[in-house]
Every structure is written in C-alpha cells, then in structure tokens.
C-alpha cells in the first residue's frame, strides 16, 4: 500500500449529484451550505469540492460562485479542504489567481482549485467571444495553471517585512515579475496578494491537463479507472483521484428503491455505486490499490452525506488506514504534498527599486 494519505473528497454542489436534486433551490441557502460543510468536516472528509459553470445551466436555478461558497465556509471550518471550480476560458487569469490566493489566506492554507474549462457557443456569446475548440480549451487551461503558479510564486515567503523603523511594508527585492506570454494572453505580474500559506494551492484537473497536483479520472468500472490512473501516472500526475457516484441504502430504504423514486440519473461517465455501505467500503478499498483518493458525488446530500460519514469513513480508517485531516493542517499536508519555495527565491533581482 502506498504511503500517500488516501483522500475522500465530497462534491457539495446543489442538493446532490442526481439531476433533479441538482436543480433544487437549496443551492442559495447559506445556512444549508454551512450545515453541510460543518457535517462534512465533523465526519472527517478530506475535502469538499464546489462545482460551477460559466453561465446558469438552462434548467437550473441560479447558484452562488463556487469560490465565494468556499470562502464562506473558510472561517466556519478548521480542518477540511475547500476546493472550488474556477473556470478559465473567459476569466482574467490574474483575477483567478488572486481570488484563489485570497481563499488560501482565508482558510489558513486549506484551499485547492479545480481548473475547469468550458467554451460553448452560448457561454462565448455572453462574453462577446467566439466558441473554443477542445484543443483551445486544453491549451487555455494549461496556460492559466502555469501563470497562476508563477503569480503565487511572485511574492517570496518573506517579502512582507512590516519594518516600522524604515516605513517599509515590503522588501522590493522579494517581489518578481512573472512575464508570462501564452497563446491568448500576457501577464506581467506580480500578484497583488502575498504568497499563499501553502505556497502553491492544490490544483485539481482532468487527465489531459499539464501542471495539476491531482488528476481526476473516470471510468464505468474499477478496471477502467485502474487503466486511466496508470495513464495519468505515466503522464506525470503526482496524485490521482477517481470520480465515483453514490447512492446508499439509507433510512430503511434500499438504494434501488431510492433511485426509482429519484428517477433517471444522467450518465456523466463516472463509476456509479448503488447499495449498502459495506459494498462501498469494499469498492473504495479496491480502488485504493490504483488511486490516491476518490471524489464522491452523492445522489442526495441530505441523506448520503450522513450515511457515508457514519458508515463508510470509519470503516475505511480500519481497512486502508484512511485518516481525516486535523485542524491546523494545510490541504497539501493532508494529501502528502510538499510545500515548495518560490521559484524566484534563488534568483532574486531588484526589479522594483
């Protein structure tokens, strides 16, 4: 078994992953979001993630921006990781990097980022832009990740000196231009926010992405996930998480009956589990041989969050040594990722004199 801590993340968008519940109005309730975030932390999930889209989905009510939802939970929690989606295709890369750095400060180093890219004709029209091809989106995502990482490094860790005697807040030698030139944008830098507590936030992205810390893989069964994980590792992925949809037996109702009552569930290409908690424990324990974590998309948060927290996480602790994050740890700590120095720390030059 790998020495890398195994992660169990929970998608916290809307009322759950099942399509009808995903359109429910609970998305806009801060009390409900706070209660679910507190429950996820109390049960010991490694992180919660927050989905988002550039525009409201056609058949859904509006939802709050994912980074704002994560920031709302930051002062209300102390251990769990907070990992929002932030789209890159039509957003200013500098602003994306700044928002995420601020989230890491607000959460004392528990922030991550799901780097998403979508550029449909409808979305592009809203921004006065042309629709983007899959290759364009992949390149844009890679470029935004790279420039965000450079911007997070643009302040060295000890750049803020607050020297009252000389009246200096910053050591100008420890701020750096990033001078990034991509296919569709330029960024000079430096960031307007000091280096985040983690140095580099944990970047989560699909398998065809360059520069991610965690690669998300999908598959209809364990064998497909194992193959996808092998390909991701061969491409250099430091960590790999499997995407898993879950509906559990709960409150004396079988998962099959719950699914019947919920109606059809759109196939998102993810492994789907319906059954009792013991079966889910066995499935995740099996996946642990090939991946470093799972992201669970439960059908109904008001039901399955508690069932997973009560019956699955404790069993995983015994079976594969799963460990919940502790207060004061960063998300990088919880995932076994090292904190790096700024790439500019050893080549400092006085650019702002």
């Amino acid at each position: 078994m790998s020495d890398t801590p195994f992660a169990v993340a929970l998608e916290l968008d809307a009322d759950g992953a099942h399509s009808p519940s995903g359109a429910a109005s609970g998305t806009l309730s801060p009390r409900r979001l706070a209660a679910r975030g507190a429950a996820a932390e109390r049960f010991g999930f490694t992180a919660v993630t927050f989905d988002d889209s550039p525009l409201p989905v056609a058949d859904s009510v509006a939802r709050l921006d994912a980074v704002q939802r994560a920031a709302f939970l930051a002062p209300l929690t102390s251990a769990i990781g907070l990992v929002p989606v932030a789209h890159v295709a039509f957003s200013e890369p500098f602003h994306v990097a700044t928002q995420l750095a601020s989230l890491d400060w607000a959460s004392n180093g528990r922030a991550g980022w799901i780097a998403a890219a979508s550029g449909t004709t409808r979305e592009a029209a809203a921004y006065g832009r042309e629709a983007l091809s899959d290759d364009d989106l992949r390149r844009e995502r890679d470029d935004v990740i790279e420039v965000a990482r450079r911007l997070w490094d643009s302040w060295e860790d000890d750049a803020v000196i607050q020297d009252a005697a000389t009246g200096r807040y910053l050591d100008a030698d420890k701020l750096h231009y990033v001078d990034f030139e991509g296919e569709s944008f330029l960024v000079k830098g430096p960031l307007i926010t000091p280096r985040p507590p983690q140095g580099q936030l944990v970047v989560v992205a699909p398998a065809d992405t360059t520069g991610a810390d965690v690669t998300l893989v999908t598959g209809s069964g364990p064998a497909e996930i194992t193959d996808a994980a092998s390909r991701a590792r061969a491409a250099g992925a430091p960590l790999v998480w499997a995407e898993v949809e879950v509906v559990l037996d709960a409150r004396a109702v079988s998962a099959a009956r719950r699914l019947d009552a919920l109606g059809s569930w759109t196939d998102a290409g993810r492994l789907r589990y319906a059954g009792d908690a013991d079966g889910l424990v066995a499935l995740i324990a099996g996946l642990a041989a090939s991946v470093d974590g799972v992201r669970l998309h439960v059908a109904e948060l008001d039901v399955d969050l508690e069932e997973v927290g009560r019956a699955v996480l404790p069993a995983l602790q015994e079976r594969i040594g799963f460990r919940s994050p502790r207060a004061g740890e960063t998300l990088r700590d919880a995932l076994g990722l090292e904190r790096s120095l700024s790439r500019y720390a050893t080549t400092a030059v006085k650019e702002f004199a």
Side-chain angles (χ1 to χ4, degrees):
M1 183 176 296
S2 169
D3 292 332
T4 301
F6 193 82
V8 181
L10 174 72
E11 173 56 46
L12 211 59
D13 189 50
D15 285 338
H18 190 276
S19 300
S21 60
S25 60
T27 305
L28 297 175
S29 168
R31 288 185 179 178
R32 188 169 298 182
L33 176 59
R36 288 169 176 167
E41 178 165 86
R42 184 173 66 253
F43 283 124
F45 287 91
T46 309
V48 286
T49 64
F50 307 85
D51 198 6
D52 208 346
S53 56
L55 295 177
V57 178
D59 59 351
S60 174
V61 297
R63 59 183 169 195
L64 300 174
D65 175 89
V67 178
Q68 293 179 10
R69 279 179 277 156
F72 173 73
L73 284 185
L76 305 179
T77 53
S78 61
I80 197 167
L82 305 171
V83 188
V85 161
H87 279 265
V88 303
F90 306 120
S91 302
E92 291 291 340
F94 188 90
H95 295 164
V96 171
T98 303
Q99 282 186 310
L100 293 165
S102 298
L103 175 62
D104 204 44
W105 280 106
S107 62
N108 293 318
R110 293 180 288 121
W113 169 31
I114 299 177
S118 179
T120 65
T121 301
R122 174 172 172 262
E123 292 161 353
Y127 290 87
R129 302 270 298 275
E130 299 291 330
L132 299 176
S133 68
D134 289 345
D135 286 343
D136 291 336
L137 292 170
R138 189 178 302 111
R139 186 199 63 235
E140 189 79 0
R141 180 167 52 212
D142 291 350
D143 282 353
V144 176
I145 290 174
E146 171 61 21
V147 79
R149 290 199 179 281
R150 292 191 192 187
L151 287 166
W152 294 332
D153 277 347
S154 64
W155 292 49
E156 295 183 36
D157 288 312
D158 54 353
V160 177
I161 55 176
Q162 297 180 317
D163 188 344
T166 62
R168 293 188 307 154
Y169 178 72
L170 298 171
D171 181 345
D173 287 343
K174 296 181 183 295
L175 268 64
H176 306 275
Y177 293 125
V178 302
D179 289 324
F180 180 84
E181 297 186 15
E183 286 279 339
S184 62
F185 62 86
L186 309 174
V187 175
K188 183 70 174 176
L191 203 61
I192 56 174
T193 305
R195 194 163 193 248
Q198 296 182 96
Q200 293 284 323
L201 275 69
V202 175
V203 178
V204 182
D208 58 351
T209 307
T210 300
D213 296 295
V214 178
T215 296
L216 298 172
V217 297
T218 59
S220 61
E224 288 188 11
I225 285 180
T226 297
D227 288 345
S230 296
R231 291 194 297 273
R233 294 193 195 283
L239 298 177
V240 179
W241 289 1
E243 301 269 41
V244 181
E245 294 177 339
V246 173
V247 56
L248 289 179
D249 298 347
R251 304 175 186 178
V253 181
S254 70
R257 287 186 58 192
R258 289 184 59 208
L259 275 177
D260 286 343
L262 288 168
S264 62
W265 190 351
T266 303
D267 185 357
R270 305 176 185 127
L271 189 160
R272 182 173 296 171
Y273 174 81
D276 63 15
D278 289 344
L280 181 59
V281 171
L283 173 65
I284 295 174
L287 291 174
S290 57
V291 299
D292 307 294
V294 292
R295 183 165 70 135
L296 303 182
H297 302 256
V298 300
E300 294 180 289
L301 283 167
D302 286 344
V303 178
D304 296 294
L305 191 165
E306 179 179 349
E307 288 299 315
V308 174
R310 180 187 59 78
V312 175
L313 296 188
L316 288 176
Q317 291 172 1
E318 294 184 4
R319 187 147 175 182
I320 61 172
F322 167 71
R323 182 181 70 78
S324 299
R326 302 186 181 96
E329 281 187 333
T330 69
L331 181 56
R332 297 190 76 85
D333 291 337
L335 301 183
L337 294 169
E338 293 185 357
R339 185 187 190 283
S340 62
L341 287 173
S342 163
R343 72 191 66 191
Y344 305 105
T346 58
T347 58
V349 293
K350 194 167 186 177
E351 299 164 314
F352 294 86

